[in-house]
Amino acid sequence: MHRYQQPQAPSRRPGRLPVAVKREAAEAKSTRLRVFTEAEKDEIGIATLLGEYTELGMNHGRPTFQKVENAGSEVNVFVYYWDTRDGPEFSGWWFGDKVGGTQVWSRAMDSGKAPPRKGWRVPWDGDEQQGLLLVEVMDTTAAMAQPVSASNGPRHASLLKQEPDPDQRVMAERVKLAMERIVAAEAEVEQAITSTKETLSGEELDESSLLETDSILRTQLDNVQSEQKHLAKELAEGRAAGGTQTSLGDLARLAPRVRQLAVSVGSQLTHVQAALTKVRQQAMLAKQKASAAEVAAEREQKDAASLQAILPEAMDIVTAAEDAVETVAILAAAVSVDETDTSETHKAKAIQDIEKCASKAQGDLLEAKKLVNGHMAACKKYAPEAQKVAIQEFAALEKRLNEAAKRLTPLKRFRQEHEQKAAARKALMEISQKLSSAELEIEKAHIMTSTDSQMEQDDITSTAQLLGPAEEDLKNAKLLIAKRLNATSKDDLEELHQRVADASAKLTTIRQVLARQEEALAVERALSEVHEKIEQAEEAYLATSEAEMPFLKGLEVLPIQEGMQAVAQCEAACERCEGALDVARKFLNKVETESKTKWSKEGQKHLAAELKKCRDRGEETHQKLRIFKKETRQRKAKAMLQEVSEKVAEAENQSQALAEVVKVLSAELDKVTVEALKLAIDQSIAAEKEAVRTYNAAREVMSAKQKEVKDPPLLMELTKLQKKLASAHQEMVKSRQIAKGGEQLIKDKKVVLEEERKVGLMETLVEKAEKMMPAEDQDVKKEELIQIDSAIKSANAAVHASQRSLDKHLAGDTSAKACLSKLVSRVKEAATKMEKIKKTTKTQREKASAEVIVKAAEQHVEAVEAALQKVAEAELPFLKGIEVIPLSEASSAIAECEQAAKQVQEALERAKSLIATKTIEAKKFAEVASKPCLERLALQVERINAAAAKLSQFRKDTESHKRTSQMHEAAEMLKKAEEEVEKTIEAGAPLDTEDLSITPEAATEVCAKLGHLEKAANKTVTEALVFLAERRKDVKGTPKEVELEKMQAQLIKIKAKLQTAKKNASQQEQRFVARKLAAEAAQRGEEVEEELKKVQAAAEPLQQSSGFLVQSNVQRLAAVVQELKAKDELKQAGKDMTLGAFRAFVARLAEEHNSEDSVFSEAEVEAMFHHLDADNSGDLSESEFQGIFAEQFACVQPISMTESFSITDGKSVAKLEVGSVVEALGMPQFDEHQKLTRLHCRLADDMKEGWVTMKGNQGKVFLDRLSPHNTSLKAFERMRQASCKVVGKALGYLNSTRKTLADCDRGPLVEARTKMDELRAKVVASQQKLDEIKKKVEEAAKEYSKREAAERQARSNARTRRLLDSISKEIDEKCENLRQEAKRIREVIDPLNSTADLEALFDEMAGEGEVARSAMQRRLESLELSLSSEQVALLLDTIMESSSEDAVISRWRFLRNFQQFYECQKNIALTTDFVISNCKPKRSLNASEVVEVLEGPQRDEKLGIERIRGRAMRDNLEGWVSISGNQGTAFLKERPKPFVVCLIDLPLEKDFLSSGEPPIRLLKADEVLEHLEGPRSDTSEALMRARCKALSDDATGWITLTSQQQVTAEKGHQKFFSCKNGVAITDGPNIKACKVFRKLEAGEVIRLLEGPEVDKDSGVTRIKAACLKDGLEGWVTTLGNAGTLYAEEQTQYYTVLCEAPLQKAKHSTSETVRALRRDEAIEVLEGPVEFTPEITERLKARAVNDGAMGWVTATTKRLKRWYPTYMCKQSTVLQDTLATKSANLVRRVEEGEVLEVLDGPKEDAEAGLLRVRAKARKDQAIGWITLRGNQGTLFLAQWTARDEQLAKQPKEQKEKEQKEEKEEKKVATSKV
């Protein structure tokens, strides 16, 4: 026995035992340990730990070792490593009984890769003793070390000097492990690089594979870098540990390999990144290309559609221009042919026609060229393909126009060329006259320019006007001279040349003078305009002061909306001012630039000085504006960012609030409580939510503003706010981090409190120990010493526990370090006290402890001895002298002996462990206490060794007793096996005889019993053989082995006997089994035959369907009779009925029932009669007739069966489930009280009788009739399926039995198998017959269904014929009544057919522009229509389109309901009469013409067409027209009342013809007109038009001077004077006594009222006149007393005779500039010219706004069809009144909402806006809404029926229709 004693295990288990990682056999060499000691004596028993250890596996990253067991060792010893997962106090290398176990002996605080050589503590929590326990790491190649005991310690100490240095071995192991890791890393990297290269070498790279490769390479790079760091660390540790140069060199040589791996991986990673970037760029490029292609395709499609829309119009115009040129050419050719004609009048007329046509052709060419050039310019913006096609098309058109222009050019000079021949003789005279006229005019101009003073503009103008004709005359003279060179004499021509040269020179001189005069005037005008524009800019700047007034009221922060509105006004003012300044600056620059090239140096100098002053004024205004703009930007930023600032401020406040809340969490733990921390955490959660909410809100507003704001200053302000928000967010994040640590703070606070409690308890224990400490010379009793020692130990344990606990908490990351540090100081102070106490009482305590140790050891030894006493008692049964005791008694005694030995062993282990531990403790005592204690402990060790020897002897004796018992057990098993074999042979005896009379049941029973006995005997024999074999191993080499051999031989004989008996019984068993199988198979075959016969019998009726058809008819007849019986409508049929009576009865049923089920043919009636006549007597008795009610019903809803007819009185007999079948015992009866139909019936399953409800009082059906055919078919199917199951079971039985007998090759079972095969063939044949029967029945069922359907159709046809015959008469009568009623109603409503009557009716009923439902109801009830209240309500619902009592109807919908219009689809005649054969056509209606219905529609029965009497709106012609043809061709299509909407401002004219008269009024764009008449073509006569200027306001435009109807303006109607010099206008004619009104400027025109008169006193000439500019009347001096001319009469002015429009263009339908007033003066600037208006379409209409009626010109650019539905295009408001200023808000209308017009559009006169009263579809809200804003913003757009249809269609349908429309347009364009 070793002197080892088990130490006490640590109080805490170091961890849970992990699964050890076993090494495979193929791994490298394992490591071994040798544990030895250098100590001379083994005083604490470490011999158990000494010896050799082999590597077992891995634990916590380090190898685990197990001691190699020696003989007699009963303890397993492991060396393993434990990491810091359970704390640093449990980490290190350990010796223990298992890995991670609680029993440990030694510990080394080291974390190396292998166990350390020294530093082991024995026991594990003791002190390190040098040389006591050493560990050496060895390889398996080293010599196996012998275990070391306490007696051979010195020898191992000498061997230690010969062993290699373990540090070198550790270093070598490090190098080896590093090499293995790097080799593995190289392999992984190589594989990753190979995979990467394969990926990169692929033809198609995808992003996912590259990303995966990138991830793999990054992982490898991380691994290599980690290995690089690890290798550097190991190299540093090796150098620090003093490793050899070889080992360090090996490690250093590994570093370049690792670096090369990193470089390789990095290089491949670069390649992958490049490829990934390339792939992404390619994907993005492909996406961009696809997007560009899609945009290009869409643009091509759009441009192609645009080209298709404009090309036909251009082609038409070009063709028209070519036709005009061709007309001119034809006329010119005709004149050329007739040139010899002597009729001058004819020639003049022809030439005039040619010129007129040429002028028109020239105009057409110019218009066409302008259009084509415009389209050409527009096409340059088309997509490439569309542009190419467009340019080709328009180039071709341009080419055609150029060719036409070339043809027209000579034709335009036709008159000149033609007249040259006639005028040659008059050449000289004409030239002379023109020269004379020119010379005269030039002389006048020379006289007017001969002055040194500045000329007035009028003088310059008049002079220039004189020069114009003179120059033209000179030019004409030169041309005539050139043309007539050959026609006149040379001398005359030279004279003419000289006169022309002199006149030209004088003309040049005059023009130079005029140029200087004009320059001076132009300079003054330019300066005047510059000053004016500068003044406008300054006025615009002054307007900014008014715009900024809201900011100057003292409010620093305005409301957001008000502030933004004020900013918008300021910006608008800035823009206006900037615009004005820009205009002024540009004009100033323009004037300055033009002056350099346009005017002379003197003019430039004067102009430059004035421009500098103006520029300085503009710059001053600009500087002020810059300051204002800067302030506006700041205000705008403040206004725009006000919301952001508020949100950011709120976020900052919430962030600060959160910071304030978490301040508690940042305080020192000793100053706060747990409750305060919890409260702070709860508050921080709420504050954090609020801070996050405000931050998110601020960020959302910030993001929105960042998208909205584009100005850099605002962006800078936003950036500042964003920084503030980011700062607040950072503060919030910091606070959140503090708050997140709140729970940890609470835990730390609890730890501090717990540690304070422990420290307090510890201090209490220390104080207690201090109080118990005796004085130095005081004698202490043993009991007191024990108490003192116990108190010291408790206090010391508390001190150590507190110290360990505090160290553990301080080792982690905790916020309680400051508090814990304070506790550490208190613990250290307590530890100091304890050291003092222990030192003072050490000797006394050690003596007391030694006594306690000895007593404890004696108690454990006594326990061992007591256990040995129990061992002796357990051995008593074997010591009584009986050599062989019963087996059960022996087994029990052996078990008790083993249990007693185990208890002794456990007691020994406990005693050894205690003594070993206490020995170590006693050695630490002083010698005075330790020596006697160790001596007494040595005595106890001797007692333990003696007990161990006794235990060993007891175990040997027990083993001997056990062997003896086992020999006895073997004999018993042999005897039992022999007895069971004999029983088996006896049980099989009845089967050995040849008598076959034994019954199958008896034979089966014998076989079963025999099989059971055979199994039992075989099991017993096998168990005995196994037991004997095991026992032979135990007694091998002893005398008992021979005895066991004999038993085995005897047992083998018994087994052979059993096999023989089994073989004999098996043969006889087969004979009985064969007989049994044959009988069962025959029985199965008979069952199959019986089932086949049943199915054939059930199928026969189903194959003949005639009988079932008769039964179905009888069932139908019964249903009809029962229904009529229930209604008491069935007449008695009589007791007996013959066939004829039965036929009459059935016919009467058909008439009374009047349904399809009551119709029977003659053949069906006869067949039913014979079916019911059971006795074939030829007539039906009452009982036979009742047989029709003997039918079956199926339950379709669960229902109860009661014993009586009444439900309330009857008791429930049974409950019918769904599918239950009942047989009727009589006719169904109707319960009048309960309103139920009840049936007396009997259940088909259990024959119970009772009453069942067939149909409930709510119509719910409970019983449904069963069709005889379906019932029989279902019964057949059930029978067939049952038969198939029987056949299937029989076939399954035969197949399974056949499979069981398949292995038999001889004997009776082979014959049984043959019979089974024959029977199986018969069963298969039966199965085939069943399938054939099923097919025949299915075919018959199909045939039955066909016949039943045919009979049903025949019944339906017969009933239909009868119904048609009965209904036709009734229909004729009702139709006649309806015709009479229609005639009466038409007579009532005919007066309301006209529009005027309907509008008058509407005005009569209308309230506020609408008709209420109540008013409409009163009106309808007043008409003699004989309508009921329900009919009136229905009619009102239809008219009002609502059933609400508050419903109203607008004028438009009212007229639409009572007026009917049709649109002509195809040309159709308008006739005089309804009857086509008697009528004559008035005219043909063309497609798209609108017809108003005056009468009809009426149907022409003879021709089968409908006709109406209507009014053609084109010309108000009335007549009859067909709606459609008799072949279905549609001529007219109904449409709503026509309304049109103005697209631009239009004049509403009084008459159809465009006479040039002033319009009734000007229609505004978006106004709606009611179409009354037209459109008709306007073929007006030629007009005299002129471009003129109104002298009152200088407005210019075109006016019609004369037309066919009237003269609009006339020259000379009034006299006008033009002021030549400045002159005053006064109130009276007396120049001395008059009062001056104002000054008349030079050039101002006045109209003569009186005079002229000569003032006799002053000698001046004066007139009374009216100023045209302001209408001021007064007296003006025309001629001074010194001859100065102040006003000169002008004859070129026209006077407007009646109000007329001044229009922008030459065309008479062009836009109006303004209306010219009566007596207004105008100056003609161009013309007069003759103008023939183009043919236009005119329609008569009435303005919805004010009811004004007139004519307007209808073109697609002016008018379009109007629909009373609008869609909101921009959000606006719905208000309660027409006037916007006083209106209240109903609600806001959002974009996309649809509104229906109730009234309007009407004009808000005050605001000048067109508004409609509409109803929103969304919520039926009603109010007024604006169509278009005063700035042109479109709020509402037309929502047509087409838009409505498209909105309801799915997206695919819309795209399809749009595509079809594009295709149609393309086809139409290609045709053009």
Side-chain angles (χ1 to χ4, degrees), residues 1440-1732:
M1440 310 299 289
E1441 299 181 2
S1442 173
S1443 60
S1444 173
E1445 293 297 330
D1446 299 329
V1448 294
I1449 186 169
S1450 65
R1451 179 186 297 271
W1452 187 87
R1453 291 196 177 277
F1454 178 82
L1455 295 178
R1456 184 177 182 181
N1457 281 323
F1458 291 97
Q1459 286 181 308
Q1460 193 173 11
F1461 292 84
Y1462 282 90
E1463 185 175 345
C1464 185
Q1465 302 296 307
K1466 290 187 177 181
N1467 293 356
I1468 184 67
L1470 187 69
T1471 64
T1472 58
D1473 196 0
F1474 170 75
V1475 180
I1476 295 178
S1477 58
N1478 301 332
C1479 67
K1480 295 180 181 180
K1482 289 186 174 182
R1483 74 170 178 87
S1484 175
L1485 291 179
N1486 297 324
S1488 301
E1489 274 199 63
V1490 179
V1491 179
E1492 181 183 3
V1493 178
L1494 301 177
E1495 183 180 347
Q1498 296 182 19
R1499 184 173 182 81
D1500 188 340
E1501 297 296 340
K1502 184 177 180 181
L1503 298 178
I1505 60 176
E1506 286 187 337
R1507 288 169 62 79
I1508 62 168
R1509 187 173 70 85
R1511 176 178 66 88
M1513 298 191 69
R1514 179 178 172 183
D1515 52 6
N1516 285 337
L1517 192 63
E1518 297 182 4
W1520 289 87
V1521 62
S1522 300
I1523 296 177
S1524 61
N1526 55 6
Q1527 300 299 322
T1529 303
F1531 295 110
L1532 301 181
K1533 180 181 179 182
E1534 190 172 1
R1535 59 155 295 162
K1537 181 177 179 66
F1539 286 81
V1540 292
V1541 60
C1542 297
L1543 302 179
I1544 59 175
D1545 293 349
L1546 296 175
L1548 183 66
E1549 297 174 318
K1550 182 178 180 181
D1551 297 323
F1552 168 74
L1553 297 177
S1554 300
S1555 60
E1557 293 185 10
I1560 297 172
R1561 73 172 180 89
L1562 195 64
L1563 299 173
K1564 289 188 175 182
D1566 297 325
E1567 271 202 66
V1568 176
L1569 306 175
E1570 180 186 356
H1571 186 176
L1572 301 177
E1573 184 182 342
R1576 300 207 307 262
S1577 298
D1578 179 8
T1579 55
S1580 301
E1581 297 294 332
L1583 308 173
M1584 292 302 294
R1585 301 268 292 174
R1587 189 172 73 88
C1588 61
K1589 177 176 71 173
L1591 298 181
S1592 60
D1593 59 357
D1594 293 336
T1596 59
W1598 288 81
I1599 183 175
T1600 301
L1601 298 179
T1602 60
S1603 64
Q1604 188 178 10
Q1605 289 80 17
Q1606 64 180 0
V1607 177
T1608 307
E1610 185 179 11
K1611 186 193 294 187
H1613 184 73
Q1614 290 181 343
K1615 292 184 179 181
F1616 297 93
F1617 284 78
S1618 175
C1619 294
K1620 297 300 181 180
N1621 292 290
V1623 65
I1625 181 170
T1626 64
D1627 60 348
N1630 189 346
I1631 195 168
K1632 294 182 178 180
C1634 66
K1635 179 181 179 182
V1636 176
F1637 286 141
R1638 71 173 179 85
K1639 178 184 177 182
L1640 297 178
E1641 299 295 338
E1644 190 171 351
V1645 180
I1646 56 179
R1647 178 166 52 85
L1648 178 65
L1649 299 178
E1650 295 180 17
E1653 296 179 359
V1654 179
D1655 188 350
K1656 296 179 180 180
D1657 296 333
S1658 60
V1660 297
T1661 303
R1662 290 170 63 78
I1663 61 173
K1664 185 177 182 182
C1667 298
L1668 298 183
K1669 286 188 176 181
D1670 53 8
L1672 181 64
E1673 293 183 1
W1675 290 83
V1676 179
T1677 301
T1678 59
L1679 184 64
N1681 55 4
T1684 303
L1685 184 66
Y1686 291 103
E1688 184 180 11
E1689 184 178 357
Q1690 302 292 330
T1691 59
Q1692 71 269 27
Y1693 299 131
Y1694 283 73
T1695 302
V1696 178
L1697 303 179
C1698 60
E1699 188 174 349
L1702 184 66
Q1703 297 170 307
K1704 283 188 175 181
K1706 184 178 180 181
H1707 198 283
S1708 61
T1709 59
S1710 62
E1711 185 178 351
T1712 300
V1713 177
R1714 73 173 180 85
L1716 295 176
R1717 299 180 300 277
R1718 180 183 174 88
D1719 294 333
E1720 191 170 350
I1722 59 175
E1723 179 184 1
V1724 174
L1725 304 177
E1726 181 180 345
V1729 296
E1730 188 179 30
F1731 173 76
T1732 303

Side-chain angles (χ1 to χ4, degrees), residues 1564 1780 1802-1811 1826 1828-1830:
K1564 289 188 175 182
T1780 54
K1802 292 190 176 181
E1803 185 179 8
D1804 177 2
E1806 187 176 358
L1809 300 174
L1810 283 176
R1811 292 161 61 80
T1826 303
R1828 190 187 301 269
N1830 52 15

Side-chain angles (χ1 to χ4, degrees), residues 433-451:
Q433 289 176 354
K434 288 186 178 293
L435 280 176
S436 299
S437 175
E439 288 171 343
L440 179 60
E441 296 297 330
I442 290 172
E443 186 63 28
K444 289 180 181 179
H446 178 67
I447 294 171
M448 294 176 69
T449 56
S450 298
T451 178

Side-chain angles (χ1 to χ4, degrees), residues 1816-1827:
R1817 282 190 184 176
K1818 180 178 179 181
D1819 56 359
Q1820 308 302 308
I1822 296 176
W1824 289 87
I1825 187 169
T1826 303
L1827 293 176

